Every structure is written in C-alpha cells, then in structure tokens.
Amino acid sequence: MNLQELQSTAKALVAPGKGILAADESTSTIKRRFDTIKLESTEENRRAYRELLFTTIGIQDYISGVILYDETLRQSAKDGTPFPTLLARQGVISGIKVDKGTIDMPGFPGEKITEGLDGLRGRLVEYRNLGTRFAKWRAVITIGNGIPTSTCLEANAEALARYAVLCQELDIVPIVEPEVLMDGNHTLERCAAVTEDTLHIVFSYLKKHKVILEGMLLKPNMVVSGKDCLQQASVAEVAAATVRTLRRVVPAAVPGIVFLSGGQGPEEATEHLNAMNALGYHPWELSFSYGRALQEPVLEAWRGQADKVQAAQQSFFHRAKLNGAARDGNYSTQMEKKPV
Ligand code: 13P
C-alpha cells in the first residue's frame, strides 16, 4: 500500500472548487432515468449519453473525478478513445462503482444489505489496470418504524470496511457511502440521530478493519427532513444540522466529505452545499459527488436528440460551475439565471 498515492488521489478529488460526477448508474438505474425522457436504454444510447457528459468542454475546472459503471469503463467515444483515457487527458480521475447493489436483508423486513464482496480483490486488480484510481460502495439505510436496527447498521458498516481496506491494498481510494434515505415522513431531528448512529458505527468498523482514514473519502447523505415530512427544514437548518452531525462523528483525518444528492432537486443540493461551506472553517473539505443533481437538467435538455447535445452540455457545464462555486460558499440563486 502506498499511502502517499492514496492521499494525493483523495486530495485531488476534493481540490478547491471541484467535486465528483457520479455517472455510475447501473443498467437498471439508467433505464429508470431514460424512462423519464422516453428514451430506450440501449447500449449505444447509454454510451452516447456518457460521451456527451465526458466531452463537455471546460468541465475539468469543476469536476475532479467521475464514478463509472463497469459497462461505461469499457466503452469508448465515437472516435475510439476509451472513456478513462478521454477523462485522463482532461485531468479528470476515473472511479468505479464496485458494489453489486442491494438486496432485502434476510430476517430484517424493510432493511437492505449491499452485496459485492465475493471476488472483489480480483475485480479491483482489473479496474486498476483499466485506469481507475478510486471506487465507490453504497450502503442503504432506511428510516421507518423500529428501523434501522443495529444489526443492519453493523452488517452494512462491516461490508463498507471490508471493501475499503481491499481498495486501499491496491492504492485505490475508497469512497465510503452509507446513505440514510430521504424516503419517509420523519423529521430533520430523526434524520440527524440516525445519520449520527450510522456514521458512528461505520467509523468504528473502519477502525476495526484498519482502514487508513487519510486515504479515503466519505459520501454521506445531508441531514434533511423526510420527503413526506410536513414541516420541511430550511436551507440554514439543513446546513447547521448536517455540519453538527458530521463534526460529532467524522474524524478530522478524513480529507473530504462528498455528499450524495439523494433525491434533492439540483438547485436545492447546490444551495445546501453552499450554505455549509459558507458557515466557515471545517476540518474536512465539503464537496459533492452528485448523480441526479448534476444530471437531471442535462437529461431534460438532451432527450436523446443529436441536435440537443450542445444545449445539454451547456446545461451540464452550468450545473457543475454552480456546484464548484458552492464548494467555497460563493454560490447565489441569481447565478442560476446567468447565461453560460
Ligand atoms: P445521487 O446524487 O443521485 O443520490 O447519486 C449519487 C450516488 O452516487 C448514489 O450512490
């Protein structure tokens, strides 16, 4: 293990003004996204869409890395350039989703466990040879009546820790992603309590499994009100609750925290990140690793039409730039209207 390499990759991913694009939708997830624009999910449409994202001019000013899915990692641009090579030429680091998705956790109704540890060491060797320098594993925690249980939190934390240490063995930076879902009518306070418990358990398992904190990134949910909660917290309340929760449980040795958007709207996700960075000094970089919050407007502008590629790329550039500004607390909602 080369700690220096791990640290420099982790630092580059959370460089000032930059964050990560999560473009690692599995084949079934991207189908759901394409359904919203009535586009068939063929291998060529998936390839063309990712080419649109990765060839957006100037994106490297705001995007440090891209998380890919196995299929995308092996695909190429129209001119034959493999996607990881195309990204590397722009100074963008390639990452890879390595979990195999979630299943219902046996014995624990309503809860999920993530699969994908079997054979992971071999897959990581191949991914590293294909040019990836960081990875992602997502655990899903559901808030509900009597859940999450400690058994579910511990089982998911152990899987995250085992994945993370395997990555570090090969100098691949693990993004540790325990996502507490927004689904439900719970309050901000409940989300805060569950997120704190989850992260506390995750970090205790990372320690047990000897994960080097300096060579990883954390990808958590923000502390928000449940989607169906009648009393939705304000931007300022979300920012304060999220930072307070993270300060309690995330060691300062972790170089960066890259939030998922988790179903927040694009502007909402940018506003929340901005408000947190505007609060002042934090012991870690606070950045983004958004999927939907970066891509929703892009898909909407593109709709699978070749003559809309440029408009879609402008929309991607704009969203990335605004999130880049939110990294430093320099975003304002007026910037939404500014032409690119
Ligand atoms: P969202 O930002 O759409 O939640 O996706 C981020 C991600 O990578 C989830 O695993």
Side-chain angles (χ1 to χ4, degrees), residues 22 28 42-43 60 94 108 121 148 158 173 204 206 208 217 225 300 321:
S28 59
T42 61
E43 187 181 345
Q60 67 275 16
S94 289
F108 291 83
R121 180 182 267 140
E158 176 137 48
V173 169
S204 79
L206 294 178
K208 276 190 209 180
L217 295 173
S225 318
E300 194 50 49
K321 186 175 174 176

Side-chain angles (χ1 to χ4, degrees), residues 181-224:
L181 295 177
M182 284 169 69
D183 300 341
N185 61 2
H186 53 268
T187 60
L188 177 91
E189 290 72 24
R190 180 92 203 281
C191 179
V194 172
T195 302
E196 185 176 331
D197 285 350
T198 301
L199 293 176
H200 184 73
I201 292 173
V202 165
F203 279 98
S204 79
Y205 274 86
L206 294 178
K207 166 99 183 126
K208 276 190 209 180
H209 285 263
K210 305 186 181 177
V211 174
I212 312 278
L213 299 180
E214 289 82 355
M216 64 161 274
L217 295 173
L218 178 72
K219 178 164 173 169
N221 53 285
M222 294 180 197
V223 173
V224 293

Side-chain angles (χ1 to χ4, degrees), residues 1 15 31 80 99 113 122 138 146 155 161 174 180 239 254 265 289 292 300 328-329 337:
M1 195 200 48
K31 182 186 177 307
D99 66 71
I113 181 77
R138 174 174 175 255
V180 177
V254 174
S289 174
R292 283 162 287 179
E300 194 50 49
D328 305 318
K337 285 176 208 87

Side-chain angles (χ1 to χ4, degrees), residues 22 24 136 138 177 179 219 260-263 289-293:
D24 61 329
K136 178 191 108 170
R138 174 174 175 255
E177 181 180 3
E179 175 176 4
K219 178 164 173 169
L260 57 92
S261 59
S289 174
Y290 294 158
R292 283 162 287 179

